[in-house]
Amino acid sequence: MHKLAVGVFLACATASAAMAGEGMWTPDNLPLAQLKSKYGFTPTAAWTAHAQRAALRLAGGCSGSFVSPNGLVLTNHHCVNSCVQQLSDADKDFIKSGFLAKEEKDEIKCPEIELNRLDAITDVTARVKGATAGKSGEAFGKADRAIKSEIEKECVAGNSASKRCDVVDLYHGGIYALYEYHRYQDVRLVFAPEFEMAFFGGDPDNFNFPRYDLDMGMLRAWEDGKPARVADFFPFSTDGAAEGEMVVTIGNPGGTDRQLTVAELESARDHDLIPRLLLLAEQRGMIEQFRSESPEHWRIGQHDLFSVENAFKALRGRLLALQDPAVFALKRAQEAELRTFVDADPARKAKYGGAWDAIANAMDAYRTVEARYKYIEARRGFFSEYYGHARTLVRGTVERGKPNAERLREFTDSRLPSVTQRLFSSAPVYPDYEQVTLGWSLRKLREALGTDDAFVRQVLGTDAPEALARRLVAGTRLGDPAVRRALWDGGAEAVAKSDDPFIVLARAVDPAARAIRSRYEDEVEAIVDQNSQLVAAARFEKYGTSTYPDATFTQRFSFGEVRGWDEKGTFVPPFTDIAGTFAHATGAYPFALPATWLAAKERLDLRTRMNLATTNDIIGGNSGSPLVNARGEIVGLVFDGNIHSLGGNYWYDERLNRTVAVHSSAILEALRKVYGADRLVRELESARR
Amino acid sequence: MHKLAVGVFLACATASAAMAGEGMWTPDNLPLAQLKSKYGFTPTAAWTAHAQRAALRLAGGCSGSFVSPNGLVLTNHHCVNSCVQQLSDADKDFIKSGFLAKEEKDEIKCPEIELNRLDAITDVTARVKGATAGKSGEAFGKADRAIKSEIEKECVAGNSASKRCDVVDLYHGGIYALYEYHRYQDVRLVFAPEFEMAFFGGDPDNFNFPRYDLDMGMLRAWEDGKPARVADFFPFSTDGAAEGEMVVTIGNPGGTDRQLTVAELESARDHDLIPRLLLLAEQRGMIEQFRSESPEHWRIGQHDLFSVENAFKALRGRLLALQDPAVFALKRAQEAELRTFVDADPARKAKYGGAWDAIANAMDAYRTVEARYKYIEARRGFFSEYYGHARTLVRGTVERGKPNAERLREFTDSRLPSVTQRLFSSAPVYPDYEQVTLGWSLRKLREALGTDDAFVRQVLGTDAPEALARRLVAGTRLGDPAVRRALWDGGAEAVAKSDDPFIVLARAVDPAARAIRSRYEDEVEAIVDQNSQLVAAARFEKYGTSTYPDATFTQRFSFGEVRGWDEKGTFVPPFTDIAGTFAHATGAYPFALPATWLAAKERLDLRTRMNLATTNDIIGGNSGSPLVNARGEIVGLVFDGNIHSLGGNYWYDERLNRTVAVHSSAILEALRKVYGADRLVRELESARR
């Protein structure tokens, strides 16, 4: 792995801001000098390797960690929420009641959760760049995808059930690295509190602090029908961290846009965020009203509403950041500095000078394919589980028959286990809800592409969107996992013969979807990738290789400290306590405490710390990350950032950007005194020794 | 009235664009020289005075015209839609079935429609500016409101039942004019086609062309229990207008922002349009789902959904215009030119130079009061008919007791008849729907101002928003017009004693609402008004008084011609025909034709022109405007603009901006052969003689 010296290039343009918490560092490139000077902390190779393997990725989009040698996993409630909902039905609603496996045998398998433990990182830059050298456009994209699939296949070596390999693009093409994971697909639900407690304050308090939430969930990795034995795990700290103490997050930030060009940021602001937000807002109104119709609709819509509201608030924060003239001024200044450096030398100018305009042109090209790409290929027009399964069957059975390197990336050997886990999942599909969401998204498809668009006419025929949705949902058998499995096993031939209405629809859509995907990949993605490599190389030339890459949903370490902040003249202290939880309870959703907490009030030590704020640099995907001290003990569980952290997609503002975590003491106090989870408390305590 | 010479100042910065259709001209300042040179048309004073009085304003936000001497009024279906819905119930749904008064006695009074005929315009600039001279901030605003109320009261002279007087601010404070109207409040529904036919193509086709709609409605003004006799009306043309023929719209464009400063446009783009769009999108999703729940919910939500979707699409178009770098470049260039002129002369600079920065500062101040102003005073947080009535009662009964000049502007003597028309309206209020919309908007209030906000806590107490909405709706008696009338007649004392839960809420909200309104008026509105006067004066100095003012929902003439346009290389012809209507019918909403049309197909002349496109310069508020030829005959009925017309809020683009109208021949053909409206056809034909 290419080693990067410590330093922060972003500081070049923001010399006045302190940068203590900034940085999402790869495990093989921690900012050692900075850590030593700031915190007097020098992680050994063993410390880092241990932390790397004790931390986990939830493949669906979260983080977590082992907290016992028996594969017990700590993450957020909102990371296990979909599993909790999938295991519930109208009679037993674990979202409402919470879930506790009294005994090991009561732990229930989550239908769609996959855990990834990062075992190794290898630099494959030379091999990837060698395969694409001299190519551009379509040929570049094709070669790029092929070499990555080839490297991944070699790495998995036929062992895809327990091994996962991803080629990761760091620094926007500056470095390509092969990430090898141990894959766990037998993951069981161990504990979840009531949703009311996990998400106390609800959407109104989301991305805010002070907070009073117990946003925790516990899973267990099983292997060969037994709890997995693991060598690396984080024991719980006895008391948590003190104000000002250094704390580390090890998690998987999903993505940041800190190194994008100004043209890409403008495109994001004007053409990406706004349409997405408008769609989310409408979806939110639709789901909220659907939920109000009956207790069962309330239950069914819970997870989607959470996701939609969470995304809405996060993207709204990003848009506000990009509307801040100061943020754009910073970005323009950074870009101007780099371009001045490039233009100053004729050789450099010849090599890199055209990259920015090429990316800007690709953004223009993007606008011409954007709506079709999003609605047809990226499925904005087909918001339906049935359709998702149908497309996996239609595409997957065909793609499986192709050589690995020629397949669509999501169907390569390395990725198939995740595909089939979802396809064969026992999670219920709700016809009522499907009909509503599909009908709605078909209306949006027509709105986005136009009534007279040939594709829209092909899909809708003379049907109204709602009528088509009703007909498809009434006629499908894809809600039955056995039917899906039979079609998958039957392969392309069986799928081609199926008259299931969703299969028929997915077959009809596929040519147009593949066509617009190719256009997007060739005319936008390949151009951006190729020219981003040039920008990254120019940046390395000027600043040295002294920074961290944009987030890529791969493991990153962030070093910060427990600290409050100044909110327009008022200091926000870094800790809340359990007393505050009770003080904020009104009895009305989302500020209602569950009966368990009300009953336990007398037993609880109300001075126990509940949540805390730190300066760690995180973003969506970090949810469930362990917050550990210098000794590698759990002092908290990351579950949110404050409102200022949303601009963190574009830059890190040390003054205001804060991570929000559940305090380790609150977790132990609740497990002991509210939930009577003695088995788990014993397991956590014995892990400490 | 101050007379303005003809010319187009906007052309200064866009010399290359033709400006034929541009301009929303006040009746006292038509562009005579331009009309003569371009169309060889010279309207006489009599022609203009006749057109001025034949055209009408619908006070709720539309336009229309007299089309017979017996007070028959032609406007759009979407302008009478609320009346049609108010006259419907679960058993007789006129939205679905359409409405035709076979005899005069079958015409039914619309509970909330008021017609205004413009009788006179007087320049009152000197008097208004005299009253505010030397004042600024709060004192400026107070003096400004007081003098306007005083002028209006004098004008009405106690005759408010049939007279309405409004002081209108033209050119953003360049000119103040008193508009005297004849007021009609006994307005009866005569004819409305089925909604399916009026809005054929629905939201997908809204703001599009080619179109195939019969978006018409007919009303009649009554006075003293008889149809009103009117001297000025537009007879129908025999054949409509030819391609290229000059056509005139006389209507009431609601508002444009063509003369705003760059700071105001930036504020609109970043801080006004986006929040409004996000709210509309969510409201849309909510109402759509509500409508899907039952046929009765479908009926109840119809009008609001139409309004929301229409506003959404219009504002989305505006946002896209403001995201177009070319539009901002034009605005910046115009502003720079004017400021250079101002700065070139020390006296001018001293007089006007600070205006732009003052407005920019007011925009910053706006951001600090914006959310509270919108949610508390402008009622975004209280989306409820009951609440609207309660606030009118709480405020109106107190305001009535004050001297006219000191009242809130909407409760001055000149305006009270509109207030009571709505307050005493027999239109039904739907408790189910109220509960949904109020609960939703209370959630938005909490979201916008924050959970811990003192006002939010005062309103919600420990209730969830939905629970509060349920309680209020269950307990109120304000759905009964007699109860509202009794409270109004009982005055401030009766209202103060009322324990109706909505009255209690409105009383509780009022102090905060008045406080934030005052802040907005003093710290934003007054500063903007005062400095906009300076910008307007500077503009007059440089360009002469040679342009038209921004739209103000007052009467404007626009002169254009029947013309198609080039849409990305494809010519869009200006006419559609009835055959096209049938060709686009799929049988599925919103492309389903009503049974009446399907049954009439054989009888109809399919070559009859259905809709047409013209270059007239219109905007929202112009809906229902007559489209007349040089002889003052109806050749069409304005009901929409094409998608490019949405940018018309900021500038007029002759190449693309088109008005969309129902062709006069389609109206006559449909009345005769589809609806058997012989009485109306006879009336229209005899009006022609």
Side-chain angles (χ1 to χ4, degrees), chain A residues 444-456:
Chain A
K444 299 301 107 182
L445 172 75
R446 181 176 66 187
E447 186 172 319
L449 305 189
T451 301
D452 290 334
D453 178 83
F455 177 79
V456 172

Side-chain angles (χ1 to χ4, degrees), chain A residues 126-165:
Chain A
R127 202 169 153 195
V128 173
K129 288 199 176 175
T132 58
K135 296 191 169 67
S136 69
E138 184 182 344
F140 177 94
K142 202 172 163 188
D144 185 69
R145 291 189 292 274
I147 186 67
K148 288 172 179 168
S149 297
E150 184 183 307
I151 293 170
E152 290 166 359
K153 181 172 182 154
E154 284 171 20
C155 167
V156 168
N159 190 21
S160 68
S162 66
K163 195 162 181 183
R164 172 173 179 146
C165 298

Side-chain angles (χ1 to χ4, degrees), chain A residues 284 289 293 323 447 591, chain B residues 274 284 289 293 447 451:
Chain A
R284 181 185 187 187
Q289 184 59 22
E293 292 162 4
Q323 286 176 332
E447 186 172 319
F591 295 94
Chain B
I274 291 172
R284 181 185 187 185
Q289 184 60 23
E293 291 162 5
E447 187 173 317
T451 301

Side-chain angles (χ1 to χ4, degrees), chain A residues 556-569:
Chain A
R556 303 297 174 88
F557 286 60
S558 164
F559 300 87
E561 63 198 68
V562 178
R563 206 197 309 163
W565 76 95
D566 182 86
E567 181 71 46
K568 294 176 189 158

Side-chain angles (χ1 to χ4, degrees), chain B residues 230-259:
Chain B
V230 298
D232 297 291
F233 59 88
F234 297 119
F236 264 59
S237 139
T238 318
D239 299 314
E243 185 162 355
E245 185 174 334
M246 184 200 77
V247 286
V248 188
T249 61
I250 306 107
N252 299 271
T256 51
D257 294 328
R258 294 183 187 173
Q259 291 169 10

Side-chain angles (χ1 to χ4, degrees), chain A residues 233-552:
Chain A
F233 58 89
F234 297 119
F236 264 60
S237 141
T238 318
D239 299 315
E243 185 161 356
E245 185 174 332
M246 185 202 74
V247 286
V248 190
T249 61
I250 307 106
N252 300 271
T256 51
D257 294 327
R258 295 182 188 175
Q259 291 168 10
L260 294 194
T261 64
V262 169
E264 286 173 292
L265 292 172
E266 285 173 342
S267 179
R269 182 190 62 195
D270 294 340
H271 305 292
D272 191 33
L273 287 172
I274 292 172
R276 282 171 72 189
L277 278 164
L278 291 173
L279 209 62
L280 285 167
E282 191 175 326
Q283 200 175 354
R284 181 185 187 187
M286 183 263 289
I287 299 177
E288 283 194 302
Q289 184 59 22
F290 175 86
R291 291 190 81 204
S292 76
E293 292 162 4
S294 73
E296 180 61 354
H297 281 195
W298 183 264
R299 190 182 72 75
I300 289 172
Q302 188 270 340
H303 177 67
D304 273 356
L305 183 64
F306 173 84
S307 304
V308 165
E309 288 189 331
N310 193 57
F312 181 84
K313 211 159 178 178
L315 297 183
R316 186 82 181 94
R318 287 193 198 174
L319 180 61
L320 289 172
L322 287 187
Q323 286 176 332
D324 181 349
V327 172
F328 253 90
L330 171 69
K331 295 296 176 180
R332 279 185 216 286
Q334 290 172 345
E335 185 162 306
E337 185 175 84
L338 185 55
R339 292 187 73 167
T340 302
F341 166 76
V342 166
D343 290 349
D345 175 82
R348 272 202 302 267
K349 187 172 179 179
K351 206 166 158 192
Y352 306 129
W356 287 268
D357 289 350
I359 290 173
N361 290 339
M363 292 299 104
D364 289 341
Y366 178 49
R367 277 211 276 300
T368 69
V369 299
E370 184 190 7
R372 303 189 76 76
Y373 177 72
K374 297 267 179 64
Y375 278 86
I376 302 174
E377 171 62 17
R379 283 186 46 198
R380 274 194 192 165
F382 303 93
F383 178 26
S384 152
E385 295 283 324
Y386 291 133
Y387 181 81
H389 288 316
R391 187 165 89 163
T392 299
L393 289 166
V394 167
R395 283 198 167 167
T397 51
V398 168
E399 293 295 306
R400 268 191 311 173
K402 297 180 183 172
N404 189 58
E406 292 172 20
R407 295 182 200 162
L408 296 175
R409 288 275 288 152
E410 63 271 29
F411 294 108
T412 57
D413 285 338
S414 171
R415 286 173 172 76
L416 274 180
S418 301
V419 170
T420 51
Q421 184 189 34
R422 198 169 158 78
L423 182 64
F424 302 156
S425 162
S426 59
V429 185
Y430 299 103
D432 275 12
Y433 185 58
E434 283 282 300
Q435 194 178 303
V436 166
T437 59
L438 179 62
W440 174 77
S441 62
L442 289 171
R443 281 203 301 276
K444 299 301 107 182
L445 172 75
R446 181 176 66 187
E447 186 172 319
L449 305 189
T451 301
D452 290 334
D453 178 83
F455 177 79
V456 172
R457 287 185 168 230
Q458 182 205 339
V459 169
L460 292 182
T462 58
D463 267 330
E466 309 73 41
L468 176 61
R470 199 176 313 121
R471 198 160 53 71
L472 292 170
V473 169
T476 190
R477 294 184 58 226
L478 294 186
D480 180 352
V483 170
R484 301 196 296 265
R485 190 182 282 270
L487 282 165
W488 182 259
D489 293 343
E493 208 177 330
V495 172
K497 278 191 205 143
S498 168
D499 61 357
D500 188 282
F502 273 100
I503 298 280
V504 173
L505 175 66
R507 277 202 310 258
V509 168
D510 204 45
R514 285 179 183 263
I516 193 67
R517 176 169 171 160
S518 290
R519 275 195 64 190
Y520 170 74
E521 287 178 347
D522 299 343
E523 295 170 23
V524 182
E525 197 179 60
I527 314 294
V528 169
D529 286 355
Q530 190 178 10
N531 287 284
S532 296
Q533 283 185 6
L534 298 177
V535 173
R539 204 178 267 137
F540 285 166
E541 258 188 52
K542 172 153 176 63
Y543 301 107
T545 47
S546 59
T547 182
Y548 58 93
D550 258 329
T552 47

